[in-house]
Amino acid sequence: MLKSLSQYLFLQALGPFIVASIVLTGIIWLTQALRMLDVLITQGQTLVTFFELTALALPSTLVIVLPISLFCAILYTLHKLISDSEIVVMFSAGISRSVIATPFLAIALATSALILLFSIYVAPAGLRELKSQLYEIRSDVATAMIREGTFANPAQGLTVYVRERTSDGTTYGILVHDSRNPKEPITYMAETGSLVEGPSGPLLVMFNGNIQRISREGDREMGAATLLYFDKYTYDLSQYIDTKPSFSYEGRERYFSELIDPARDDTYGQTHRKKLLADAHERLVEGVYPTMLTLIALATLLPAPFNRRGYASRMALAAVLALAIRLLGFVLANGASTSTYLIPLMYLVPLAVCGVCIAIIAGVRFDFLFQRFRAAMPGGRA
């Protein structure tokens, strides 16, 4: 009987948890997708690349979404069970609070383990791969320059137009107008062309075209024009590609080992050692919050006496407490980046809340304890 009851409660909470996770993940994913939309538009990337980039940022999104989804799902499930008097029937049958809480805590512990896996390894791996791919895409000037049916301006004074581009890289109807030198603008026109990789970067090889060059002297608008026809001409695109800068991974893009022990030649890691150490502890604490939020929901609704007016006030109280404690966690994490003595508090606060919630679920009445404390004080009344 208890096994069937645990399975029933587990499934009752699992369904809303999955739905809430999908909805919240979709909302946050949409905001991130809109920020990356410029990669699709300005860099001429495909939809496949766009979805690949947003998927790389998804694990870091789930670290934020899953605890919130779990908390909402547990509140919803408990409220539904209480409203339908199922909890009352369970208590009448001699089922204890701990038995009822066990399936919910099982989901919470599984979520905590998943978040630890994401925050320690999966999320930083995705974010550092995302950073590398974004750099490669934004550095791919050749792709940005050669876009079918579009006048592209990869540099000030340079205009590139291609009428058609096939899947094998062949281009038709090429126009390149270089007016960076106002005294000698040059226009290249060709019937066909193709992109090839040269020793120093990409090259645009044009066939069957001409070069129009105008030489101006002084302030004259008109100048001497020359026209040169060619069968083959190579235009160097590498001059528009900056040398690759050396970038360092930030805290959220680093693996756990790189946070607690950065390499000696890691300039960023050695400069921001306190911040990286705080980030490492914050990742570990992230695994406590799903269980803590679940215990808050259980401690708020499970011992609740019957109330015809509903339990909206208790649910609101649970939400306020969860939000306040989570915000306090963020404050402590930010403070620990400069004051390492705050690191123990990052663990103490959620663990203390878990302890208080477990005591409430077990039947400890803190209001009675407070009254006894007042009565024991000199001049206190029982």
Side-chain angles (χ1 to χ4, degrees):
M1 176 182 175
L2 291 180
K3 183 177 180 181
S4 300
L5 177 63
S6 297
Q7 291 178 350
Y8 172 75
L9 295 175
F10 183 87
L11 295 176
Q12 286 291 309
L14 185 61
F17 175 46
I18 294 175
V19 172
S21 299
I22 293 174
V23 172
L24 291 178
T25 302
I27 294 173
I28 298 180
W29 176 86
L30 183 61
T31 60
Q32 293 182 344
L34 292 176
R35 289 189 302 172
M36 295 183 186
L37 197 60
D38 68 303
V39 176
L40 180 67
I41 297 175
T42 62
Q43 301 295 328
Q45 299 298 313
T46 63
L47 280 174
V48 175
T49 303
F50 173 71
F51 284 112
E52 181 182 350
L53 293 177
T54 54
L56 289 173
L58 195 59
S60 60
T61 301
L62 290 175
V63 173
I64 302 173
V65 166
L66 290 180
I68 301 174
S69 303
L70 179 63
F71 179 68
C72 296
I74 298 298
L75 279 181
Y76 169 80
T77 304
L78 286 174
H79 183 266
K80 181 176 180 295
L81 292 173
I82 294 173
S83 300
D84 295 343
S85 300
E86 294 184 60
I87 294 291
V88 175
V89 173
M90 295 177 194
F91 287 156
S92 301
I95 306 298
S96 65
R97 294 177 184 175
S98 60
V99 173
I100 297 175
T102 299
F104 301 112
L105 290 175
I107 299 177
L109 292 174
T111 305
S112 295
L114 188 62
I115 286 178
L116 282 174
L117 175 63
F118 280 2
S119 61
I120 290 177
Y121 179 76
V122 180
L127 289 176
R128 66 197 300 156
E129 179 64 22
L130 173 62
K131 189 171 188 176
S132 299
Q133 289 198 22
L134 284 176
Y135 173 80
E136 292 178 2
I137 290 172
R138 287 170 178 153
S139 300
D140 190 2
V141 179
T143 302
M145 288 176 64
I146 303 177
R147 288 184 287 167
E148 183 177 355
T150 303
F151 287 91
N153 300 98
Q156 184 68 29
L158 182 68
T159 302
V160 181
Y161 175 82
V162 172
R163 184 182 72 247
E164 183 183 355
R165 184 179 182 184
T166 60
S167 57
D168 61 356
T170 304
T171 55
Y172 298 90
I174 303 171
L175 169 71
V176 179
H177 180 67
D178 188 352
S179 61
R180 291 174 298 168
N181 183 2
K183 294 184 178 181
E184 196 175 48
I186 306 173
T187 302
Y188 305 85
M189 301 181 67
E191 293 181 3
T192 61
S194 60
L195 273 175
V196 297
E197 191 66 28
S200 58
L203 303 173
L204 176 59
V205 182
M206 296 180 283
F207 303 94
N208 301 326
N210 61 73
I211 303 174
Q212 303 174 30
R213 188 190 305 268
I214 299 177
S215 298
R216 297 170 180 162
E217 295 181 1
D219 297 331
R220 292 189 304 170
E221 295 184 1
M222 303 299 293
T226 59
L227 183 63
L228 175 66
Y229 291 92
F230 61 82
D231 293 328
K232 178 181 177 182
Y233 184 84
T234 301
Y235 189 80
D236 187 8
L237 300 178
S238 61
Q239 57 185 311
Y240 306 108
I241 300 178
D242 298 330
T243 57
K244 184 175 181 179
S246 58
F247 60 85
S248 58
Y249 293 115
E250 298 179 359
R252 62 177 189 160
E253 297 159 352
R254 290 172 175 258
Y255 294 119
F256 188 79
S257 59
E258 297 172 336
L259 293 175
I260 60 177
D261 187 22
R264 291 185 178 181
D265 58 349
D266 184 356
T267 305
Y268 181 90
Q270 296 298 330
T271 306
H272 302 83
R273 293 204 65 170
K274 287 186 177 180
K275 183 179 184 303
L276 296 182
L277 183 62
D279 289 343
H281 287 283
E282 185 179 11
R283 291 189 190 181
L284 294 177
V285 177
E286 290 285 350
V288 181
Y289 282 105
T291 303
M292 185 201 75
L293 294 175
T294 299
L295 287 171
I296 290 177
L298 289 170
T300 306
L301 290 180
L302 202 56
F306 177 75
N307 190 346
R308 293 182 179 179
R309 297 181 179 179
Y311 302 90
S313 60
R314 283 182 169 267
M315 295 177 68
L317 176 62
V320 170
L321 288 174
L323 178 61
I325 296 169
R326 195 64 189 91
L327 290 177
L328 179 59
F330 285 128
V331 171
L332 291 174
N334 290 332
S337 61
T338 56
S339 304
T340 54
Y341 65 86
L342 293 176
I343 291 177
L345 290 178
M346 294 171 59
Y347 295 90
L348 182 60
V349 169
L351 291 176
V353 173
C354 289
V356 172
C357 291
I358 291 174
I360 292 175
I361 295 171
V364 176
R365 296 287 301 273
F366 285 92
D367 53 343
F368 285 174
L369 292 177
F370 180 70
Q371 291 176 9
R372 291 180 181 179
F373 174 77
R374 287 186 60 187
M377 294 294 291
R381 291 181 300 175

